């Protein structure tokens, strides 16, 4: 794994640490369900964690909540295959529910616009197929 990439747990740890800079390793470990020593290792590894990285990690986390764990690559097994692979309905919220849960900030609004643009494009393509 390249040095800039993080596992989900590592991302949770640095996000929790960034949002709670005065929290102890034990408090972060309890929040992230891991050991204090692992929190210490991650804090040392990512000691130069910046605000830009924080914003990117937070946005990635929100995207994965909306679209699933496999949105940024990886195999279906590594990311947890959904019930759709077996012909069963997927568990979890639908697109409309995820749309409503987006944060009311710049990132959330940009994602809303992107979703609407994609849906409009799909409607356009379907209309073109039906008309022709």
């Amino acid at each position: 794994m390249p040095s800039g990439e993080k596992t989900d747990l590592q991302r949770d740890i640095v996000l929790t640490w960034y949002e709670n800079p005065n929290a102890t390793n034990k408090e972060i470990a309890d929040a992230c369900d891991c050991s204090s020593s692992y929190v210490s290792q991650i804090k040392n590894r990512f000691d130069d964690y910046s605000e830009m990285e924080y914003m990117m990690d937070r946005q990635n986390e929100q995207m994965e909540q909306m679209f699933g764990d496999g949105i940024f690559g990886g195999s279906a097994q590594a990311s947890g295959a959904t019930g759709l692979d077996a012909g069963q309905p997927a568990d979890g919220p639908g697109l409309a529910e995820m749309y409503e849960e987006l944060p009311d900030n710049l990132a959330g609004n940009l994602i809303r616009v992107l979703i609407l643009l994609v849906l409009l494009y799909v409607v356009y393509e379907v209309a073109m197929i039906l008309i022709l």
Side-chain angles (χ1 to χ4, degrees), residues 41-85:
Q41 290 173 10
I42 299 307
K43 286 171 73 173
N44 288 335
R45 180 173 172 194
F46 297 101
D47 65 343
D48 60 345
Y49 193 68
S50 68
E51 184 173 359
M52 178 61 82
E53 288 176 294
Y54 166 77
M55 292 182 346
M56 295 298 292
D57 282 342
R58 178 58 65 204
Q59 184 176 7
N60 289 348
E61 181 182 61
Q62 291 170 347
M63 295 283 287
E64 286 178 355
Q65 286 174 352
M66 286 178 20
F67 300 109
D69 290 338
I71 188 171
F72 296 112
S75 68
Q77 275 187 331
S79 63
T82 66
L84 293 175
D85 298 331

